[in-house]
């Protein structure tokens, strides 16, 4: 449009003759608008495809950098945007996603230097290694509230016992304190503790409290509570 064009058309029954025309084409405003709109839509579609491709490449690069910065602590890679779309389409069931990274030679060389300068051990069975590792643990038993004896009638005197199940050598026992809201403030090392061990707390009334009923039974269990290992390892529990 808006330029001279040469048109050649064969003549009907002209024995191969051709007519040559020089024409200046000028489209109407409506046709010009439709042409420009069609061209703009094509450009937008092409740019959208290019932007999506660049976004995927950018996210893969970010994942690669994040993984390379902590190789020793990572055993898997996060999924990219495209992989997440596949996971959602499959409902997260029976889905196997191959993973690969494009890493430059400079990054590989830097990774090798880091491994040589800071070597680290690798456990073939990390869960077993963690479970069997010996750790130091200390327990602090502060107080209790609202204690009540169901067999004694005298002043309440109580103590608390903390231990790891099936490990009697780990037992920690406070001194006795009186009243329904005793304060023991007892701190002691928990012997035999290993990672992810749970602990059990039991509060007892002493024989002095229950002797008044005259039945000769052992110290009365007033209550108990259990604390799972993952509730206080590795950041503690208050």
């Amino acid at each position: 449009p808006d330029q001279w064009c040469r048109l050649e058309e064969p003549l009907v029954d002209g024995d191969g003759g051709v007519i040559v025309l020089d024409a200046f084409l000028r489209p109407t405003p409506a046709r010009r608008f439709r042409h420009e709109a069609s061209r703009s839509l094509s450009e937008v579609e092409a740019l959208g495809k290019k932007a999506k491709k660049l976004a995927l490449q950018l996210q893969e690069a970010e994942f690669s950098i994040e993984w390379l910065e902590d190789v020793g602590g990572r055993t898997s890679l996060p999924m990219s945007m495209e992989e997440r779309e596949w996971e959602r389409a499959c409902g997260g069931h029976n889905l196997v996603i191959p993973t690969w990274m494009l890493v430059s030679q400079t990054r590989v060389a830097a990774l090798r230097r880091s491994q040589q300068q800071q070597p680290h051990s690798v456990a073939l069975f990390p869960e077993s290694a963690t479970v069997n590792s010996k750790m130091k643990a200390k327990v602090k038993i502060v107080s209790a509230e609202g204690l009540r004896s169901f067999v004694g009638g005298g002043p309440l005197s109580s103590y608390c016992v903390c231990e790891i199940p099936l490990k009697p050598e780990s037992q920690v026992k406070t001194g006795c304190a009186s009243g329904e809201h005793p304060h023991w403030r007892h701190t002691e090392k928990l012997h035999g503790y290993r990672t992810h061990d749970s602990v059990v707390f039991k509060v007892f009334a002493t024989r002095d409290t229950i002797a008044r009923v005259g039945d000769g039974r052992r110290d009365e269990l007033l209550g108990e509570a259990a604390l799972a290992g993952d509730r206080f390892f590795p950041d503690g529990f208050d």
Side-chain angles (χ1 to χ4, degrees), residues 65-145:
I65 294 174
E66 181 183 0
W67 187 83
L68 288 171
E69 288 177 350
D70 186 15
V71 178
R74 297 179 183 274
T75 58
S76 61
L77 287 173
M79 289 186 292
S80 65
M81 295 170 60
E82 184 176 0
E83 292 167 343
R84 289 174 182 171
E85 292 177 359
W86 274 105
E87 184 186 38
R88 285 195 294 269
C90 297
H93 301 293
N94 301 325
L95 176 63
V96 177
I97 299 176
T99 306
W100 65 88
M101 293 187 306
L102 299 177
V103 184
S104 65
Q105 291 295 327
T106 303
R107 178 67 67 174
V108 172
L111 175 60
R112 288 177 177 173
R113 287 196 301 270
S114 175
Q115 290 177 337
Q116 292 173 357
Q117 296 172 359
Q118 300 177 350
H120 59 275
S121 59
V122 177
L124 295 179
F125 304 96
E127 293 182 358
S128 300
T130 304
V131 170
N132 294 328
S133 62
K134 292 183 178 180
M135 304 288 292
K136 293 182 179 180
K138 184 180 291 186
V139 60
K140 182 177 182 180
I141 304 174
V142 180
S143 62
E145 295 182 1

Side-chain angles (χ1 to χ4, degrees), residues 197-228:
D197 277 349
S198 300
V199 292
V200 177
F201 297 87
K202 297 182 180 180
V203 178
F204 294 89
T206 62
R207 292 186 179 88
D208 295 339
T209 302
I210 65 175
R212 298 178 182 274
V213 299
D215 57 7
R217 68 173 63 183
R218 296 180 179 179
D219 290 356
E220 177 190 0
L221 177 63
L222 301 180
E224 62 181 297
L227 187 62

